[in-house]
Amino acid sequence: MKRVYTFGDKKAEGKANMKNLLGGKGANLAEMNLIGVPVPPGFTITTEVCTEYNQKGKDQTVELIKKEVEAAVQNVEQIMGAKFGDLENPLLLSVRSGARVSMPGMMDTVLNLGLNDDAVLGIAKKSGNERFAWDSYRRFVQMYGDVVLGMKPESKEDIDPFEEIMEELKEKKGIKLDTDFSVEDLKELVKRFKQAVTKQTGKDFPDNPWEQLWGAVMAVFDSWNTDRAIYYRRMNKIPEEWGTAVNVQAMVFGNMGSNSATGVAFTRDAATGENIFNGEYLIDAQGEDVVAGVRTPQEITLEGSKRWAALAGVSEAERAEKYPSLEEVMPALYKELFDIQNKLEDHYNDMQDIEFTIQDGKLWMLQTRNGKRTGAAMVRMAMEMLKEGRIDEKEAVMRVEPNKLDELLHPVFDKTAMGSANVLTKGLPASPGAAAGQLVFFADECDKYADSILVRIETSPEDLEGMNIANGILTARGGMTSHAAVVARGMGKCCVSGAGELKIDYKARTLEAGGKTFNEGDWISLNGSTGEVYEGSIKTIDPELSGDFGHLMELADKYSRMYVRTNADTPKDSKVARDFGAKGIGLCRTEHMFFEGEKIIAMREMILSEDLAGREQALAKLLPIQQKDFEGIFEAMQDLPVTVRLLDPPLHEFVPHDEKGQQEMAEVMGVTVDVIKQKVEDLSEFNPMLGHRGCRLGNTYPEITVMQTRAILGAAIALKKRNIVAKPEIMIPLTGTIAEMKMQEEIVRETAQKVFEETNETIDYLVGTMIEIPRAALTANEIAESAEFFSFGTNDLTQMTFGYSRDDAGKFLPIYIEKGILKNDPFEVLDQDGVGQLVEMAAKKGKATRPDIKLGICGEHGGEPSSVEFCHRTGLQYVSCSPFRVPIARLAAAQANIKEM
Ligand code: ADP
Ligand code: MG
Ligand code: MG
């Protein structure tokens, strides 16, 4: 087994597609050699050795790789004309970690390895630069001490012992910058650093270069199993077995004086996607100096430098003198760097994030990788690279992460306005976007201000209208699938939920957060993408759905087999979704329509009625109002199918549970409060989720189904008279047995027949069901005898398959995920192994009975990319999701299909 792969002098044993074995950094270092880019020579110890190390420990691992490493070091020595461990002409090395994907939490790089009290003199003599030699040594002892010998402070309150020593000396000398240290100061620092090591670790700093090297290599392997790394792996679903590679490489020095520099650059703008080379550099610097923020880095290009100066308010004269670009300072080297970045982008056909160092007038590349980018940049780069002919249409579609589109669809905070913003507290990022508004505590007061933020302990269906008016929603309780979160996402409205530190006093109308008290009418701002809550009003900017976005969506449709519908209950949401490309409604929840004004009164009258006649009388009042609601939605969705779900929630959700509300209801209904109280008690259930709801309502009170059928078909007929085509699909909720389904179907069909006779019109419509109870999935072949379509209600199906109540799962799900019992929140990411089996089975059984059965999904999962892919593989015809997730689902559907091509 080969464990070490060398690279250098335009030769390499590895290449770019060997990331699994060599890690991302190692594979690309090899590849850069192969395409003739100047890279300091070195070698990569494979990720497999990391796994061996985890099993066998240090001594055996060293034994396994010793010969290969020694040979590889010799190869570097030959190319560099220097010798590792030599006193006159020592070769110095860097030791760098590198997993398959770049991973924070891994070991920091150790530079200048191989130095000791003797070698430093050799380096000083050979370079003729004593300062450089001692600066490198000082850095080495510090880095090695921090990352290999464990001197780095564990908590953020502690200070790095080395930084402390440096600060002391700076103060004593009255200097500010590291670059102000004299050679004598640097010597003094090395001495004190080493003393600190001996004191803290009980062992002297290792002088022997080989001991240093093995120590650093093993430290890289150890870093794979630090808490930080494990945490990151869990968050990002990176398997433990992957391991990390170790890259050992000859040092090149950016800290050799004014003809040396180090920097980082991007082949395109990672924030906007603009095709413009950009980056930062520092003269006479090493390693992470550029990003460490100790000195102000300068722009690489003249154009970038001018743009920076304009933003920073620096005059052209000052810019040119104090912060000139690399293009101005080292024009020839700049040209070389510019050509190399072009070459790298041409080679990888993607935006590259590169690191380079200039040693005494010679340019070296130290890293290249596909750069991280914002959602907007991702779309723009993919579409522009398509136009440039670098990638084909399928590749362009695959280049964009569906979830990243979310960033493009919502307002964001103005960057300049963010500067002085004060974070009060943090909750869950429940629904993305940014919003500012004046505080209100009650949903029916959201219209008090033109811009309001609704703050509640938690929200309920009665708050719907207010939620729709408010700019954003903030709750103290509830998780990512709480009422507030789900509804807000549906509306595309910014929401922060579960901000547990908030203290809300409804009576006093105050909010306590971040040690301050806020009153109704005070301004706050929310970032629903991060969960942050800010004091005051921060300016927001609306998203712009540019031409590139439209182009991407066209391609997505071209390459997908499934299509995307939306979950919407209002004409407004329907319109938004249609604009985002929805091809119909997959779930129109009718209960939301019953809460506003007149409707809730009629609804409550029905609930209070003791007999059928009373209920029918109340329902007769509801009929025209409900029909109007449907007309609005059907019109917004004309020519496209609309799945309307019949009444689903238990009736107790429609009656008030607080004293004040009950009194009001009693007055309106003309009964005593006790009557209301009694009714509320009658309706209360031990477990409403499994109670008197769904088709159980329609089968015990058929008159409700009759009224709703009349309203749906009546609306379709009314529109037909105006030449608007409505395509209703009537959906029975919570079916568990074929008898339940058949009974509902009969009521719907009989009612339809009557309506058609009365109006002398007909409408094409379908009757189908949600599959959301495990028994329905198990007996789907029977259910399909009656149902013309299935829509998988994976919210309830998940709830009932796991036996987790969605409203209570917030108490243990986070712990389950942290402990690794569950990989994901099953309410967010469809559980393909478990719940997915029921979906597959039901789809198969449904088709066996009724080959042309329509199949779709309307749970929250319909907008989650991995779940969309599952739906594609299972052969569903469409997914349905909230309006603002429609573009995400369209892209995910295309990617699922392209993966199969
Ligand atoms: P990261 O994975 O955090 O980017 P790197 O391994 O890229 O860590 O190292 C960080 C920095 O150290 C590099 O950007 C570069 O400036 C410096 N560095 C690494 N190897 C060398 C080397 N052989 N010569 C000079 N500088 C190096
Ligand atoms: Mg790097
Ligand atoms: Mg349901």
Side-chain angles (χ1 to χ4, degrees), residues 222-352:
D222 281 331
S223 72
W224 182 252
N225 283 319
T226 56
D227 291 346
R228 275 194 302 165
I230 290 170
Y231 179 76
Y232 183 84
R233 279 208 290 282
R234 193 168 292 155
M235 295 259 307
N236 292 278
K237 317 211 162 44
I238 296 171
E240 203 208 305
E241 311 85 73
W242 281 9
T244 178
V246 186
N247 301 291
V248 179
Q249 196 178 20
M251 280 302 298
V252 287
F253 301 98
N255 56 336
M256 265 192 162
S258 59
N259 203 20
S260 300
T262 185
V264 295
F266 300 87
T267 59
R268 300 186 186 214
D269 190 320
T272 64
E274 185 181 352
N275 187 1
I276 186 173
F277 178 48
N278 65 99
E280 295 177 330
Y281 79 105
L282 274 176
I283 297 277
D284 196 8
Q286 191 177 54
E288 310 278 63
D289 288 3
V290 175
V291 286
V294 189
R295 284 157 63 191
T296 309
Q298 290 153 237
E299 290 287 326
I300 290 178
T301 68
L302 179 56
E303 166 80 22
S305 185
K306 287 190 165 158
R307 287 188 191 184
W308 165 84
L311 273 177
V314 171
S315 74
E316 172 59 18
E318 190 186 352
R319 182 203 70 75
E321 201 214 306
K322 281 202 198 147
Y323 312 101
S325 63
L326 186 72
E327 193 172 353
E328 293 158 284
V329 179
M330 303 179 177
L333 283 162
Y334 170 77
K335 169 87 178 43
E336 197 185 333
L337 179 64
F338 185 82
D339 291 344
I340 287 176
Q341 65 91 20
N342 260 339
K343 183 172 187 165
L344 288 172
E345 194 178 276
D346 282 346
H347 184 69
Y348 288 96
N349 275 321
D350 200 351
M351 186 263 276
Q352 296 298 296

Side-chain angles (χ1 to χ4, degrees), residues 43-93:
F43 55 91
T44 304
I45 305 172
T46 66
T47 54
E48 289 172 358
V49 178
C50 182
T51 310
E52 286 179 310
Y53 172 82
N54 287 335
Q55 292 156 359
K56 299 181 175 152
K58 175 169 175 176
D59 293 345
Q60 279 193 54
T61 307
V62 172
E63 225 26 68
L64 278 174
I65 57 176
K66 198 161 183 244
K67 280 223 169 66
E68 279 180 81
V69 168
E70 281 169 358
V73 168
Q74 256 175 30
N75 181 49
V76 178
E77 289 174 341
Q78 253 161 28
I79 297 172
M80 295 301 284
K83 202 163 162 26
F84 188 56
D86 197 70
L87 301 185
E88 311 269 291
N89 182 18
L91 169 71
L92 301 189
L93 298 173

Side-chain angles (χ1 to χ4, degrees), residues 503-553:
K503 287 213 187 70
I504 297 170
D505 185 338
Y506 287 138
K507 257 222 166 85
R509 300 190 176 217
T510 57
L511 167 73
E512 262 180 67
K516 292 188 179 176
T517 304
F518 298 85
N519 294 302
E520 185 184 286
D522 286 348
W523 284 83
I524 59 166
S525 304
L526 308 178
N527 186 342
S529 312
T530 62
E532 273 152 337
V533 181
Y534 297 90
E535 184 173 1
S537 163
I538 305 174
K539 194 174 156 223
T540 59
I541 23 184
D542 280 335
E544 217 178 287
L545 301 181
S546 64
D548 287 331
F549 178 83
H551 188 188
L552 174 68
M553 286 295 113

